[in-house]
Amino acid sequence: MLRPSVDDHRVVGLYTGKIVSGVGLLMIVPLVTALVFREWDTAIDFGIGLTVCLAVGLGLQALCRTSDELQRRHGLVVVSASWILATALGAIPLYLSGHMGSYLDAVFDVMSGLTTTGLYLMQDLDHVSNGLNMWRFILTFAGGQGIVVIALTFLFKGVGGGLYHLYSGEGKEDRLLPNVVHTARVIWLISLGWLAVGTTALTIGALALGQAPVRAFLHSLWVFMGAFSTGGFAPQSYNTFWYHSLAFEIMCIIIFVAGSLNFAVHWAVWTGERSELRRNVETRSFAVTLGIFTLIAAIGLARSGVYTDALPLVRKTFYLLISGHTTTGFGTVYSRALVTQWGPLAMLAIIGTMVIGASSCSTAGGIKGIRIAIITKAFVQEARRMLGPDSAVVTSRYHHLKNRVLQDATIRSVLLITVAFLTLHAIVTMAGVLAGYPFIEAAFDGVSAASNTGLSCGVVSPSMPGALKAVYVVAMWLGRMEFLAVFALFGWLWSVVRGR
Amino acid sequence: MGAGSQRRGARDALPTAEQVLTLTTGLVTEAAFAVGLMAACSIVIVLVLLAGG
């Protein structure tokens, strides 16, 4: 590998500095929230965090000033480096708040927020200030669209080249429009459109539940952000179970299913191509796998006899299954009830949904429906080839935004990412078992972290071993980046040491 | 730019009624997709319950 030149480092530093500055500017929202609600301690924490973030971001830009263009080899490294710095600096206000057991715990929660995982180690969550809560949800909402997408939307001008590699480095490949900056803006348009509608609907629901208007609005805004970003953070420790409302749960389901759709599918539907939702291989794959795992979970729960009536069985089973499949992580049962009441079969069904995840180029995590569909089609194609005459030319087609022919190169890249995900799931499960947890529990929480879901059966807690917390932080990062950007960063560091 | 041109520019930047209708229909279609999934899976669960697991 070629050793990067000083100019290469400058380009990486310059763009990383821009993105870190952008993340720093996001702290203005919780800072203002804290000031409005007269939470002075929280305001000071965010003042410190904002200052440090801008000092690092602007400092990097000043140190690395260059006129060189961002190239493909820089893009992925910038994304990875930005996520590390954004996590480390974003953790400052959390750590200063006194709600975290250690700085590692704060890093865990920020990585969980940015990657839209939803696992948390924050203590006394029910008494967190509004400013701090706002930061948790800003992190998860911004992370859902992608911090690079934010930077592309508000900070960058230009049309492409290296900017596309910044965009794709966050695990998004579909361009909604030819210009990648315009694509980023459309992603924000879709998210803000849903934000307006979803928050209004939830606020009406919360008011009907008897919450005071300001509280109702804040809870609704936060629950929307947690749902649409498929993040799973909620303002109360009992998650959405706290509301005890079927209407609220249905609204949450609609919002997180919308959040789990490919932004390109959103754009197609929003511009009049409504049949895309029905024809797209990814939404079809999602519907089929959801049906299969619902069947498995329902059999497990019916056998265990936990829910004897149809309504609670439907309500609890479907909510957790779809929450797992969209990798949201909202729950309406106590964590430990998964182990003590649901049992291994229903837990395995949820693990299956989390492994697969939802759509590519969405806020969701996991292997992604399109990869499952492509692998299935590749198997069928291979079977047809083996059973057909030697001279037969066997091809498969699928619809994803347009009609496509299944190519060997596509199958290879899909299998590579899938194997990487399965290996990661095996490693995090093994780490949990090594830390002393039973296999099914280690697998459940490990897969939940690596697929950026956020459901927990009780392994994730402030008292879990520090090494396991660190493993989960890396797993969340790898899962969100879909490996390539992280490998690019390590390749870059390797070439600095050993390059020619 | 004159005041008239600015007003025209601002008016052009606003979405048309047709665009708003298309966006709203799109949003409702996505919500209906989620409700459809909910209905289909509820039937599966109830059938399993009726079959006794």
Side-chain angles (χ1 to χ4, degrees), chain A residues 265-285:
Chain A
V265 172
H266 275 291
W267 190 235
V269 173
W270 283 32
T271 49
E273 294 285 331
R274 287 192 294 280
S275 63
E276 183 62 35
L277 205 50
R278 177 173 44 81
R279 294 172 65 205
N280 195 293
V281 73
E282 209 162 17
T283 44
R284 285 185 178 191
S285 159

Side-chain angles (χ1 to χ4, degrees), chain A residues 439-486:
Chain A
F439 175 78
I440 189 80
E441 296 178 32
F444 193 94
D445 278 35
V447 168
S448 178
S451 64
N452 305 129
T453 304
L455 289 171
S456 172
C457 65
V459 172
V460 172
S461 72
S463 60
M464 72 193 279
L468 192 57
K469 289 176 189 171
V471 169
Y472 280 12
V473 168
V474 175
M476 290 188 271
W477 181 45
L478 278 165
R480 181 66 174 85
M481 298 283 103
E482 296 200 337
F483 307 98
L484 291 182
V486 180

